[in-house]
């Protein structure tokens, strides 16, 4: 019963975040909403956004080489939970001592990608056996919204 209630709370949070994303009017605002809402939604220490194409950069995002980004997403996966220690250094610069676990999300945009990196100071916050269906739904909402800007 408690697990069902927890899942319902998660669904409600994802729905609220989805509505806020869908109501954004620009890519810059969308990135701001992703950073602030996902940090609160998932109780993360840090949320960073990276684009593989410089044309999509905003003031709150960074550029990442597409080969590096794709190395974390094999077999068409849009979620990465394997906890490679090198990922902390790449996706959470200057925070390698505080980030203990992380999740990466990939939103595909035309011929480039948006990588959303969410890190926690709790080592068990993000694990490989975690279910990701709700967060992948949110990633799809982000993809749809960004495609509307282009």
């Amino acid at each position: 019963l408690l697990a069902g209630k927890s899942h319902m709370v998660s669904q409600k949070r994802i729905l609220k975040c989805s509505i806020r994303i869908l109501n954004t009017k620009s890519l810059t605002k969308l990135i701001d909403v992703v950073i602030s809402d996902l940090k609160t939604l998932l109780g993360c220490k840090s949320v960073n956004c990276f684009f593989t194409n410089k044309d999509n950069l905003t003031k709150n995002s960074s550029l990442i080489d597409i080969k590096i980004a794709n190395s974390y997403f094999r077999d068409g996966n849009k979620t990465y939970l394997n906890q490679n220690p090198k990922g902390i250094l790449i996706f959470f610069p200057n925070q390698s001592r505080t980030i203990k676990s992380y999740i990466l999300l990939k939103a595909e945009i035309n011929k480039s990608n948006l990588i959303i990196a969410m890190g926690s100071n709790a080592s068990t916050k993000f694990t490989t056996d975690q279910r990701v269906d709700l967060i992948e739904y949110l990633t799809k909402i982000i993809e749809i919204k960004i495609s509307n800007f282009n």
Side-chain angles (χ1 to χ4, degrees):
L1 192 59
L2 288 174
K5 183 176 180 181
S6 175
H7 191 70
M8 291 294 289
V9 169
S10 296
Q11 285 179 334
K12 187 176 180 180
R13 288 179 177 169
I14 294 287
L15 180 60
K16 282 183 180 180
C17 189
S18 298
I19 291 169
R20 285 190 35 103
I21 287 169
L22 290 171
N23 285 330
T24 59
K25 304 291 184 211
S26 69
L27 183 59
T28 301
K29 184 62 178 163
L30 182 135
I31 296 301
D32 291 345
V33 167
V34 165
I35 291 170
S36 66
D37 281 24
L38 290 183
K39 191 173 185 178
T40 304
L41 176 73
L42 296 176
C44 296
K45 173 89 173 150
S46 180
V47 176
N48 296 319
C49 293
F50 300 84
F51 283 101
T52 58
N53 182 335
K54 64 182 177 189
D55 295 337
N56 294 325
L57 279 178
T58 68
K59 66 178 177 150
N60 289 329
S61 64
S62 301
L63 188 63
I64 188 168
D65 183 86
I66 194 161
K67 289 179 184 176
I68 293 171
N70 286 340
S71 72
Y72 287 87
F73 298 96
R74 304 261 186 235
D75 303 321
N77 291 332
K78 294 196 174 226
T79 309
Y80 178 85
L81 282 163
N82 287 340
Q83 305 307 313
N84 181 339
K86 290 180 184 176
I88 293 174
L89 298 172
I90 293 169
F91 296 101
F92 304 97
N94 304 321
Q95 295 179 318
S96 61
R97 291 187 179 154
T98 58
I99 301 299
K100 304 297 182 203
S101 67
Y102 67 97
I103 183 172
L104 302 177
L105 308 174
K106 178 173 82 170
E108 297 174 346
I109 313 148
N110 296 330
K111 293 182 169 100
S112 68
N113 297 313
L114 165 63
I115 308 299
I116 303 167
M118 295 178 280
S120 173
N121 53 2
S123 61
T124 57
K125 179 75 170 180
F126 300 111
T127 62
T128 54
D129 59 348
Q130 184 173 343
R131 292 197 48 174
V132 294
D133 52 340
L134 288 174
I135 202 75
E136 286 185 350
Y137 163 79
L138 189 60
T139 303
K140 190 65 179 169
I141 295 295
I142 293 167
E143 286 177 343
I144 291 167
K145 186 61 182 181
I146 290 175
S147 70
N148 289 338
F149 293 141
N150 297 333

